[in-house]
Every structure is written in structure tokens, then in C-alpha cells.
Amino acid sequence: MFYPTFRARRIRGKEVFRNMVRETALSTNDLIYPMFSAFGKGIRKEISSMPGIYQQSIENIVAEAQEAYELGVPAVILFGIPETKDAVGSDAYAEHGIIQETIRALKKQVPGLAVITDVCMCEYTDHGHCGIIKDGDVDNDATLELLAREALSHAQAGADMVAPSDMMDGRVMAIREILDNNGFANIPVMSYAVKYASGYYGPFREAAESTPQFGDRRSYQMDPGNRLEAVREAQMDVEEGADIIMVKPGLPYLDIVREMRNAFNLPVAVYNVSGEYSMIKAAAQMGWIDEERVTMETMLSFKRAGADLILTYHAKEVARLLHKGYEVSRNSRCGCP
Ligand code: PBG
Ligand code: ZN
């Protein structure tokens, strides 16, 4: 194909043609909205580094989840800020823990909304690590049992899907087994299969109050330099019964998203994490970028890289823009007024 027989610009000349040949589509069906549920009443506290995102008590979570649902966002993923934390993260698997109560309220009051839960220990342990500590490090096998209990208690409270984010080896198998043995064979596991030890989680740790009190997470989260290891990690989770595999963070790891898309025939999710959100918000506040345009271009990049699902703090804004028929992403016009 060469000029002048071929002219790449011909098909770009009219909007109608651009819309006809666009390869990548974004839809509200792709969106999962992360929410932070805090113990107490009347709480609605904005995360300073994440404008528009709040720690909220249950009645406010329900109200905002309803709003997201009405915008067409099909699912939320929940993180909990419990009343008390301890060495073994007891609230994580307590029958009336913060997340368990939030699930019940949401399923009762917004029944059409899918409730996904983050399964991890770091929001519930006083040391802030994702599992049980032994000899100064997180003990893999002792943690598995607690993660399984946590996932089961979420399912019992009514969760539609569970999403382990701890990076312990064997957690998908442990969770799959306990769910199957207790009548929850139909609850899918979305595994944070490929989760890097990333500086982009900074704002989240303020939001979830889950900063490790000593050391860091490098003995269980992945080294940012590794790509082949990502395939091995995901392979394990796929063989253990994961239904969806996730890559996290998103933008700095789009190559890994594509790697997952090519290597596996399962749905792929990507987590557009807190730091990625904060960077767009900060640059927009400075007047340095067009926020709507950059947000939608970012969403499209995930789809183009091969993601089916996007966990994003922008979910409500994106849904609003899609309803308006926003240009970057438009290829099927929404019927909404
Ligand atoms: C907890 C967890 C983290 C995130 C999701 N689940 C933080 C971490 O591992 O430190 C990060 C999400 C974000 O930054 O938006 N295991
Ligand atoms: Zn964790």
C-alpha cells in the first residue's frame, strides 16, 4: 500500500466514515466503579488526592451506588474501612463486618446493581499488610485460610462476584474450593492475577487507610520489570479456576493487558488505579489538559489494549459522557435523551 494509490486520510475525511471504521468501542457495560465503605453514620469524606471520591458510610454508599446504577454503570467493587483493625484482620470475615453489611444494604436497595468485593486483608489488619505476618513477612499459606473465609462471608452476605487482590499463591484455588463446598459454585472469581508493586497505589492507601506500617509489598506483589512472570501468574490463576483475570495498574501496564488478551481466552479486566485518576484530576485542575477528552482517550486505550472490563474511579463521568455521545468513544449512539 503506497501513496498516491493509497491515501490513509481518505477514510478519515468524514465523521460518518470515522465512526464506521472505528475498531474499538467503549460501553457503560465495561465499567466497574470502586467505592470505599466506612464504618459509622453520616460519613462522606472526600479523599484529598482523589477529588470526587469519598469514604462514605453505608447510607451514602447506597445513594451513590444508586446514582451510578441509574447512569448505566452495571457494577461496583467495594473496599472497607472497618471500625477496628487487628493483627489477623478479623473484620474482613466477620458476619457483620463493614463490607458484609454494605453488601446487604446494596443488594436490598439497589438490587439490579452487581456487587463485587475486593478480597484482601490490608484494609483490616493493624499492620496494613495483605496477610498474616510471620517472622517479619506475610505468611502465604496461613493467609489463604483467612482469604477463603473472607470470600465466603462476602458470598453469604450476597456478593455477586469476589475479587482477591492479595497476591498470595493458591488463593484462587482456596476461594474456589470454599465457595463450591458451600453452595456458591455460581459465584465468579475475578482474580487480580497480575498486580505490580506500584507507586500508583499511593492515593488509594489514603482512601482505604491501608498503608503498610513496616516494609512494603514487594515480597508478594510483582516486580514492574517483569512481563513473562505476568503470564505465569495469570496461568496459575486460570488453572485454579479464575473467571476473569485482571491487570493492575492500567496505563503503565497496557503491554501486559495485551499480553493477557493474546495468551488467554478469558475476559480481561484492567484496574485504572488511584494514582492514574489523581494525575488526570490534578492536571485538569491546573488547566493543563482537557479532562473529558483525556479521560475518554484513556478508557479507549484500555479497550484497544484488549481489556473487556475497566475498574475506574471515572466510571460515573464516563457513563455521563457516553450518554452525551462523546466523540472520542462514540460508535453507537446512545438512545438516551
Ligand atoms: C489492596 C488493594 C490495593 C488496591 C486495590 N486493592 C492497594 C495495594 O495493594 O496497596 C489499589 C487500588 C488503587 O490504587 O486504586 N490489596
Ligand atoms: Zn491488600
Side-chain angles (χ1 to χ4, degrees), residues 118-123 125 128-131 147 165-167 195 204 210 217 220-221 248:
D118 183 83
V119 175
C120 201
M121 287 288 135
C122 54
E123 300 130 67
T125 51
H129 276 287
C130 300
L147 292 168
S165 68
D166 50 281
M167 291 302 279
K195 180 174 176 184
F204 173 94
S210 62
R217 302 208 204 289
Y220 42 105
Q221 298 182 347
K248 178 180 171 201

Side-chain angles (χ1 to χ4, degrees), residues 72-102:
V73 176
V76 294
I77 182 163
L78 300 178
F79 299 92
I81 300 123
E83 182 180 21
T84 52
K85 305 190 183 211
D86 61 26
V88 292
S90 302
D91 197 85
Y93 37 89
E95 190 187 344
H96 297 287
I98 179 66
I99 286 299
Q100 291 78 0
E101 293 299 317
T102 309

